[in-house]
Amino acid sequence: MWQLPLAVSTVAAVLLSSLPPVLGGLPARAVFAVSDAALTHLAVHHDSGEVYLGAVNRVYKLSANLTQLRTHTTGPVPDDPRCYPPPGVRVCAHQLSPADNVNKLLLIDYAGGRLVACGSIWQGVCQLLRLDDLAKLGEPHQRKEHYLSGGREPDAMVGVIVEKPGQPSRFFVGTSIGGRSEYFPTLSSRRLTPDATSPEMFSLVYQDEFVSSQIKVPSDTLSLYPAFDIYYVSAFVSGGFVYFLTLQLDTAQTPLEPAGGPVGPGVSGGERFFSSKIVRLCANDTEFYSYVEFPLGCSKDGVEYRLVQAAQLAKAGRQLARSLGVAEGQDVLYAAFSQGQKNRAAPPRESLLCLFTLDEVNQRIRERIQSCYRGEGRLSLPWLLNKELPCINTPMQINGNFCGLVLNQPLGGLQVIEGHPLLEEKTEGMASVAAYTYRGHSVVFIGTRTGNLKKVRPSSSWARGG
């Protein structure tokens, strides 16, 4: 899925020049613009090239040359963010008013021939829309599993759909929770049933008395750090794994706040520090025993960039692969970071585009798992465990496809995985990243916070860190 940065004005446009050259033979630049709503998310069908846009109160379908084909209205809807369950299920004690439905997630479910469009109203319910004409197939909202996120920000959720032949697709979703851990898991794996109206739609893939396909922020963590949350920036699938890029409060560097203390951006309180993390799960792990997270960052000339802003998975082109010493077509990750570890809501304009190979990331994760199964160190995931638990010596063979056991999990990495710095931007701030390979060349597009689009071709010297 391709994502647009949050629009900073009432006019937003999609430029064909920012899409992959799979749409060859079209004009050099085609534009679709709306003047009365912000565009928030974008998905491109990998066969037809048709474009789907999530916006405030609407979802659009465009042809490959950006001609508008269909529009589906999603709002405004009578709502109040304090209503749980939403007013469509139970009478709410709070006064309702027309609320804009901001699209927070837009994914193509190829196996189901439908679009998953999640919005900001009614605690984050999702609509399932037919790809052909955007007709609404369903909007499950009767059960707590149907409420995915209470945040109203358009960048509060990320997700991926994992398809397996002969089995229902799985929907992995990560979301900030706004302090409401009793309502929303921060990370979960959910069913996509063939019937869009089934009450089992979006139910957890697995759940018993003790274990389920979800990660919740413990209430103890929120008691110690009321502002703690996990902000999901990107999600992707590679091999047999699902990855999430996140920003989260660094509890090791941020002082404790008293219960009932200030929460949210722009409030008074102690200085807060954030860390970027890459989270990895096995795609077929229903109990989440394979959960591992590692700090991620980049540095240039002794300056650290630790606030991830955007990322895109791509294949290494022939020349870049040769420079990196990897096979052509290997998965690489481009990520844009802002400088330092503070000001998550208003990050510094100083930015750095960096490259990670998935082989390097997976090697670091494998080495961490192996050391823990040798009984070395601790699990090192204080926000989730609320105590330091020792690794248990369990002799066994840990290969690259290991998906965890009931012990030695969840697991946190200790040392930052450092990316290869590619490009520095000091004035405009990087807000979005898109990448692809064209005739053996790796090409990266960078969207800035000032509304400019920059095209970059990673060179051999950059790939080597020169």
Side-chain angles (χ1 to χ4, degrees), residues 291-347:
Y291 184 96
V292 182
E293 67 175 40
F294 247 92
L296 203 70
C298 209
S299 302
K300 182 175 175 58
D301 299 330
V303 178
E304 294 183 346
Y305 294 77
R306 294 290 185 258
L307 299 172
V308 64
Q309 302 298 300
Q312 176 77 45
L313 187 73
K315 302 292 185 182
R318 186 183 317 112
Q319 296 189 15
L320 179 62
R322 189 180 304 126
S323 301
L324 293 169
V326 301
E328 182 180 357
Q330 186 180 97
D331 282 343
V332 294
L333 179 68
Y334 297 96
F337 294 85
S338 286
Q339 192 179 112
Q341 288 186 263
K342 305 178 193 176
N343 302 317
R344 180 201 66 83

Side-chain angles (χ1 to χ4, degrees), residues 91-109:
V91 175
C92 183
H94 304 284
Q95 184 174 355
L96 305 183
S97 59
D100 286 336
N101 193 359
V102 181
N103 178 262
K104 294 162 56 175
L105 187 64
L106 193 70
L107 298 173
I108 298 176
D109 176 15

